[in-house]
Amino acid sequence: MLTDENKRIRSVLERRSLLQRRAAGTGVAAQLIAANVDVLFIVSSCNADFNLPRLERYLALAHQAGSYPVIVLTKSDTCDNAIAYVEQAQSLAPFLTVLAVNALDQSDIEQVLSWCPKGQTSTLVGSSGVGKTTLANGMTGQDQATAGIREDDARGRHTTTARALHRMSNGGWLIDTPGMRALRLLDAQEGVDEVFSDISDLSMNCRFSDCQHNTEPGCAIQAAIETGALDPARLDRWRKLRREDQHNSASVAQARARDKAFGKMVRSVMHEKKSRKGL
């Protein structure tokens, strides 16, 4: 967005990337999270909040938008073995960047900042209670209020309730977003396939191009499961995310089509009324 000296909008730049999800609740609509994000900091924590399937969802979101994903595991100072959490996260993809940090330690904050230098924009995504606000405070020098977590499941309350753009101490920019209880993927098939590229690559070797990877002869994916090269739970998660994305994308597309048809009908009625008045 470009403005003149009077702070009026003169033009809106073309959007380079978009993070979006299907809106929470029962509604059928797309919810925009952030745009033009170079680096997506996926924040989890070294406690009961840590969840590999949830991380896979956020990775799919990043890949679909074309943002570089960095997994940040907070509260490393409160657990006995932070390295175990790092290794689990790194198992999701080769060369995946995973940082275990204490968000109150400035040297750890500097490590996070190094992944989004001056001139780039980042955003923090993750569940409530994982320490995003504390992390954002360290990265920007702000002093936003934080809240505690429940001890039984490490879940937190929303302390960030609106999106805000903050300048980071290294000259980069940070979009702070509210915590998300659920991330429902939308139009993210390519992102899902990127996260599960090992399965996509294996499927290219199946005997049949329309193989469903169940009991078909010559299924490369089932062969990999039999040899132990592929965890069947990973195949189940891939299927689940693909089904969910297809369902959400179809539902939102249908809702958009209905809204478009309704709008067209309203314009037609208004045009007819104007024509009658002209008579």
Side-chain angles (χ1 to χ4, degrees), residues 152-206:
D152 57 344
D153 60 1
R155 300 302 293 271
R157 298 186 299 274
H158 294 296
T159 54
T160 301
T161 57
R163 291 163 185 79
L165 181 66
H166 303 290
R167 184 180 178 86
M168 298 190 296
S169 58
N170 67 340
W173 292 91
L174 175 68
I175 302 173
D176 196 9
T177 65
M180 291 183 282
R181 296 270 184 217
L183 173 62
R184 298 198 287 179
L185 294 178
L186 176 65
D187 295 332
Q189 180 174 323
E190 292 182 5
V192 172
D193 288 343
E194 179 68 24
V195 174
F196 294 88
S197 59
D198 54 336
I199 295 178
S200 300
D201 292 342
L202 282 171
S203 67
M204 299 296 292
N205 297 321
C206 291

Side-chain angles (χ1 to χ4, degrees), residues 201-228:
D201 292 342
L202 282 171
S203 67
M204 299 296 292
N205 297 321
C206 291
R207 181 182 302 178
F208 304 108
S209 60
D210 59 349
C211 183
Q212 298 301 303
H213 317 305
N214 292 314
T215 59
E216 296 88 346
C219 176
I221 289 178
Q222 288 300 325
I225 291 176
E226 291 176 5
T227 62

Side-chain angles (χ1 to χ4, degrees), residues 75-87:
K75 306 182 183 181
S76 63
D77 56 311
T78 64
C79 73
D80 295 330
N81 189 3
I83 296 300
Y85 288 100
V86 172
E87 291 176 345

Side-chain angles (χ1 to χ4, degrees), residues 42-56 58-59 70-76 78-79 81-93 96-101 126-131 149-156 237:
I42 302 169
V43 187
S44 184
S45 50
C46 299
N47 56 24
D49 175 83
F50 184 84
N51 184 283
L52 286 178
R54 186 188 302 133
L55 291 178
E56 288 171 337
Y58 282 114
L59 287 172
V70 175
I71 294 179
V72 181
L73 303 179
T74 60
K75 306 182 183 181
S76 63
T78 64
C79 73
N81 189 3
I83 296 300
Y85 288 100
V86 172
E87 291 176 345
Q88 289 184 69
Q90 287 179 331
S91 71
L92 295 177
L96 179 62
T97 302
V98 181
L99 309 175
V101 304
S127 304
S128 298
V130 297
I149 61 173
R150 298 194 299 257
E151 294 298 330
D152 57 344
D153 60 1
R155 300 302 293 271
R237 296 199 301 269

